[in-house]
Amino acid sequence: MKRFRRHGHDSQRDKLKQELYQFNKTVEHGFPHQPSALGYSPDLDLLAIGTRSGAIKLYGAPGVEFMGLHDENATVTQVHFLPHQLELVTLLDDNSLHMWTLRAHQGVSELLEVGRFTLTGPPGAPPSVTRVTTVLAHSSGELLLLGTEGGHVFVVEVPGFRELEERNISVEDVQARIPEEYAPRRNLECVEALQEKPLNPRQVLIGYGRGLMVLWDLDRQCAIQYFLGTQQLESVWWMEDGEHILSSHSDGSYCSWSTTDGDVQSQPEKQDTPYGSFPCKAISKVLQFPTKQGPPFLILSGGMPRASYGDRHCISVIHSKTHIALDFTSRIIDFFVIREGEQHTGDPSALVVLVEEELVVVDLQTEGWPVIQMPYLVPLHCSAITCSHHVSSIPLKLWERILAAGDLQNTHYSNKPWPINGGQNLAPEPPQRDLLLTGHEDGTVRFWDASGVCLYPMYKLSTAGVFHTDADPNDNLNQGAEGEWPPFRKVGCFDPYSDDPRLGIQKIHLCKYSGYLTVAGTAGQILVLELNDEMAEQVVSATVVDLLQGQDGFRWKGHARLDVQEEPVSFPPGFQPFALVQCQPPAVVTAIALHSEWKLVAFGTSHGFGIYDYQQKNVALARCTLNPSDQLAMEGPLSRVKSIKKSLRQSFRRIRRSRVSMRKHQTTNAAKLQEINARLEAEALQEMELAPVQRRIEARSSDDSFTGLVRTLYFADSFITDSAHNTPSLWAGTNGGAVFAYMLRLPPVERRMDDPVTAHQAKEIQLMHRAPVVGLVVLDGRGVPLPEPLEVAHDLARSPDMLASHHLLVISEEQFKLFTLPKVSTKTKLKLTAIDGSRVRRVGVALFGSSRVEDYGENSLVVLTNQGELHVISLPAIKMQVHHPCIRREDVSGIASCVFTKHGQGFYLISPSEFERFSLSARWLVEPRSLVELPDKSTLDPSKARLRDDGRGYDGRGVSDNEVLQEIQKSLEGDGGQMGHGDNNIKIPQANILSNGDHCFYTAHQ
């Protein structure tokens, strides 16, 4: 029939689709995965982080974010901003250098790659000659000095990446004047450090691996001074007066050298090993800053006693009589210090430390040196994320109460504002308040402000206090013992270890109108909480629900339930538990639903489902969904790691059996059991939101295991028995393609606390293809999904149409099927299996508003498949509207973590610590819009003289984008005889936008 349809109708619908739907990946929330390099520009007040996957991310004031991606999938090893310019240079572990610029386009800055360069040595030279180990971006903004493994220093002109051969510093030139008696003179090893001399940028300090340091004059092309260190060199640091140098070494010591004591110095003025005479680890970096009043700040990383504390990741801060070893929970990548004043030459104000799993900023001006709270780059994975839940359009009163509870948890943070504030955030104010809730392995639920570009932490709820765990309540991780040496202090919030894996949060549901919250965990526990502004002390007693309902022959082999605290527990202001449901067997909770108007919570596991009345605190329904073939559902996902002895014993038994029976066609019972267990564990992990399992296309057999597992629960007020009377109901969908409908009888309001809520089964649907049911939606007479509980009472939604007939939409992994109610007869269906074996993994209902007409919108289904594709399906017609590839099909954890919003946006984990945000809506879009400009030239430091070949000084002006491009073009078109070895490797790629609309991050392609 489609070919007979009028052409005008199709084109009109296509135009409307463009106004409703538009796919964009907009911003990445969280902490970059596997960071490898850190950079900072005092001029622009921007922070840069490079990663092992080749990404480069820039951060300024909250909301100012940029991202670029190198074409090469190589680790970013160094990031350097060019002084007084909008450019930065990255060094990758494939030895390539890349130039990036922040270019303004239509009033918004874009991060573009504008050049790349690789050093090439003379023919026949070993790779170490040009293998770059350290980079110095000269204060002139026109030169890069590149130290290499072979001990050479190459001088390269930027931005054109032209090697100045005549100014290169060869290792032979350095060795020529070294005294004969200096033992390491024959092999200086690699260049470890390059530092410009303060007050005289024409002199550069070169530090070599074997300990030698040389002060080199760039104009006279000769060495001025030699510092004959004998310990392996790690780093160097100039004192501000330009007369003293600090060097740190591999034996845990640092030395002070004077530049006024002769041309050759064989001994330092001072040598110190901060942590004693026992063998210590290397001090990888040392910094020292003067203060206007009092002694300087000395900051160094490493140096711990090797035998006792060699596994610690520490940065020591020493000021006057205060000495603290900041102890981090992951490896230190790099750090820098922010200083006061417009030219950043005042007292140190903040220490910024990048470690593998988080960024930590320490306030150096407040007593006790507290940590400054992060407005972005917060590690989402402080404890591993196990589930997430998004709530749109939070009422202001609830929002403020959550914020107030969160503020009481943040008293240990510094009151100082965030110190990195480069750029301008031009993004419009968010039109509404959105919450993202993440459940974690340690039993915590974290509340995030997801309204704008920054994912800001608001409040943390811990459920562990309700149960007995192995944690010691008196264990204060934040402070070391009195008089301890070294004086450790734990900093950072990354803590990947859980006291008990059973605490892990698996499902979350928040009612934004009533303030009720329900969370469900790995060991069959369901907590119902309410928001309280005052501290409360109460006993939380458990109501045990037997979901087996007397079924014989089933024995639970999984983990035990958590033990509940019997004495009163003190709960701080915030969400406080007042009811606890414990499922028996204590399997993972796979589905929950909360109806705060009826005061009911529905919950489901692999054994059945139930309804809990949290007003009367009793169970209204318990239904077992196990089949006789579901015996193996009694094996819990944690049972196989419960006993190491048992596992070893079983392993040895399997080995013995395999030796007895060598025939390939004969499969032992142990091998069968192992195969079944592996399959069951994969299925169970799927329900724990860790990784979905790709299924076969053919219809399921009723003998498939886990057919009774409850996948979805849905409360609805609809027509379930006849078309004249609407009644409350609960719908449950299972892994075996079954849908159960229960009619609920609620007592009148005046009898609500006295009469019980009753549930009677009214319907049962069995899908012929037996595919798992992943979603249920009831549509009213207008074809609109039923509103949320209390939404109509708050005048935030139209009352559902109860005059025309309702419909039930059953979403299985393979198809969408619309049934009429109450007869439950098929009206229409849409199969998904025809599309490359796609299976539905995530589904949500969203309202898509028109970008052209303010008051027009359509309700649609948003679907994510196991292929990583997003589909939008119209309601109630059940027709495909648009589809877009979003996630790699191999990224099963990313697909499993996806959560949709009510307005056509979504989040999914691209790494354990990062959410990718995407939008399918043409109207609602959250993305960075930032502008970064050079600071006023009057604030630039006049002492930083620009170096030119003709010797002229710095003229005080910035370099515009046009000048940059002209210089690059000139360098490309210049005389070949004047070019160095590196010119053949210069590539100026064309910049392309990286799937982020017009306003965020760019990359370059050759």
Side-chain angles (χ1 to χ4, degrees), residues 889-903:
R889 70 171 69 182
E890 299 84 10
D891 186 8
V892 289
S893 58
I895 292 170
S897 66
C898 183
V899 58
F900 295 117
T901 78
K902 298 291 185 185
H903 295 285

Side-chain angles (χ1 to χ4, degrees), residues 20 363 436 459 766 885:
L20 292 172
D363 177 5
L436 180 67
Y459 167 73
Q766 178 62 61

Side-chain angles (χ1 to χ4, degrees), residues 320-337:
S320 185
K321 296 180 180 179
T322 307
H323 182 154
I324 290 178
L326 302 172
D327 189 8
F328 300 88
T329 55
S330 56
R331 186 174 63 89
I332 296 166
I333 306 296
D334 201 356
F335 65 93
F336 64 85
V337 170

Side-chain angles (χ1 to χ4, degrees), residues 121-131 150 152:
S128 63
V129 170
T130 54
R131 180 78 185 173
H152 303 281

Side-chain angles (χ1 to χ4, degrees), residues 835-902:
I835 310 171
D836 305 324
S838 294
R839 294 287 181 270
V840 176
R841 284 286 177 256
R842 287 284 177 269
V843 64
V845 176
L847 174 64
F848 288 89
S850 169
S851 59
R852 188 175 65 87
V853 183
E854 184 69 27
D855 57 353
Y856 181 78
E858 293 183 4
N859 284 291
S860 303
L861 274 184
V862 185
V863 174
L864 177 68
T865 71
N866 62 345
Q867 307 292 312
E869 292 187 332
L870 289 168
H871 299 265
V872 178
I873 296 162
S874 63
L875 294 175
I878 319 297
K879 291 183 178 178
M880 195 77 71
Q881 299 301 302
V882 294
H883 65 93
H884 299 278
C886 180
I887 310 174
R888 291 180 303 108
R889 70 171 69 182
E890 299 84 10
D891 186 8
V892 289
S893 58
I895 292 170
S897 66
C898 183
V899 58
F900 295 117
T901 78
K902 298 291 185 185

